[in-house]
Amino acid sequence: MTVKVRWSPRKSAAAAAMTAMLLVAPVIAATDAQALGNNREVWRSCGSNRVSSGYYGSVHFSWAQTVQASGDCTGRLSAALERINGYWTQRVYGDKYRAYATDIGYYDEYGLHWGCDACNVTRS
């Protein structure tokens, strides 16, 4: 049995649009992602920090880490986690090189990172 498929300009345009969406959608989603695991380097006026976070789903263990990458920033780094209900865990203060926060038993949505006590928070 042979099946004939007739293509019209409208079907061709629809197929092209769908193909373009499939190629572009992952790029858009990856660019705007802000959730646990959105690890990156953050630049500040005195240097840069690496912010990272993640979780182990089977035990609901989440972590957030702030690490000095470069520069001569003074002051301590800190980290915390934001739960899905918007509540922030207690902020953990490290030294000028590293801060590491953990949370177990809750559903966390974001890692929270500070490059100094008075710096703005960065989500990962």
Side-chain angles (χ1 to χ4, degrees):
M1 173 179 224
T2 303
V3 177
K4 278 191 166 183
V5 177
R6 292 185 178 207
W7 285 95
S8 68
R10 190 169 65 176
K11 287 181 182 176
S12 295
M18 183 60 99
T19 302
M21 253 176 98
L22 290 172
L23 294 173
V24 173
V27 174
I28 293 170
T31 303
D32 294 334
Q34 275 199 341
L36 288 174
N38 185 17
N39 308 332
R40 62 195 183 282
E41 196 158 323
V42 177
W43 287 268
R44 306 192 190 281
S45 60
C46 61
S48 64
N49 297 327
R50 287 191 187 94
V51 298
S52 56
S53 60
Y55 67 95
Y56 301 101
S58 61
V59 293
H60 303 294
F61 174 83
S62 304
W63 56 271
Q65 179 174 255
T66 310
V67 177
Q68 181 187 41
S70 68
D72 58 355
C73 298
T74 59
R76 59 190 176 176
L77 303 175
S78 55
L81 289 148
E82 183 176 341
R83 296 181 180 153
I84 59 171
N85 62 3
Y87 176 79
W88 289 12
T89 63
Q90 184 174 351
R91 192 168 164 179
V92 175
Y93 295 92
D95 54 27
K96 69 178 274 181
Y97 302 105
R98 177 181 315 257
Y100 185 75
T102 60
D103 193 25
I104 191 163
Y106 295 94
Y107 292 96
D108 296 304
E109 190 169 15
Y110 301 106
L112 303 171
H113 311 271
W114 291 266
C116 66
D117 288 351
C119 290
N120 292 329
V121 65
T122 298
R123 282 177 159 178
S124 71

